[in-house]
Amino acid sequence: MCITVLAFDFGTKSIGCAVGQSITRTAQALPAFKAQDGIPNWDAIEKCLNEWRPDLVVVGLPLNMDGTEQELTTRARKFANRLNGRFGVQVELQDERLTTTEARAEIFERGGYKALNKSKVDGISACLILESWFEKQTGK
């Protein structure tokens, strides 16, 4: 059975987004959502959810390298809870340590320093969050 999953890379100024399917276990970046102090345009989020109709939403959980929580961790949890409460979607959290660093490295590799714009980094970070979630499901 193929399920569609949306992933969000929560940030206070921008929220990356990606979509993927369980059959391919790959993700593609979608346009990032602008946020004001972590608050997105909920209408734009709703439009995205209606367009993709995901079976599940994955939100990246920003932890410190030692696994402890930080202020952004609490805010990402709150964002996940709001997605569930507002739209009734099932939400899971995924450890996102190093995804932004990996995303920057991947973009730099493809297009050099000029390619490193914030929305691309956020979208690729969301892809990495989703692909790591898929890997966790298959036990790899």
Side-chain angles (χ1 to χ4, degrees):
M1 180 181 97
C2 178
I3 66 165
T4 299
V5 184
L6 268 184
F8 291 100
D9 175 32
F10 178 80
T12 57
K13 293 183 178 136
S14 178
I15 299 170
C17 187
V19 65
Q21 280 77 33
S22 60
I23 286 182
T24 60
R25 296 192 343 248
T26 58
Q28 87 179 54
L30 298 174
F33 297 94
K34 292 208 178 311
Q36 297 245 214
D37 195 28
I39 300 165
N41 174 339
W42 289 108
D43 292 339
I45 300 272
E46 182 175 25
K47 187 177 174 197
C48 181
L49 290 168
N50 287 337
E51 182 180 340
W52 290 100
R53 302 220 173 273
D55 300 288
L56 177 74
V57 172
V58 175
V59 174
L61 195 61
L63 298 167
N64 292 316
M65 289 311 294
D66 64 2
T68 58
E69 298 200 358
Q70 54 181 302
E71 183 194 340
L72 204 56
T73 312
T74 304
R75 296 182 76 174
R77 284 184 197 280
K78 196 178 200 180
F79 174 73
N81 289 338
R82 286 203 176 126
L83 284 169
N84 175 262
R86 274 181 186 246
F87 307 113
V89 292
Q90 182 184 341
V91 179
E92 286 190 21
L93 298 168
Q94 174 68 30
D95 181 351
E96 66 163 52
R97 282 177 278 185
L98 296 178
T99 55
T100 301
T101 307
E102 285 179 42
R104 283 196 174 115
E106 191 171 311
I107 292 168
F108 189 79
E109 216 171 86
R110 291 181 188 179
Y113 186 73
K114 289 179 185 152
L116 284 177
N117 81 41
K118 182 75 175 115
S119 65
K120 278 188 183 168
V121 171
D122 291 337
I124 291 177
S125 292
C127 286
L128 294 169
I129 289 165
L130 185 49
E131 289 172 357
S132 67
W133 182 85
F134 282 133
E135 283 173 22
K136 191 175 86 175
Q137 304 315 300
T138 56
K140 284 189 177 178

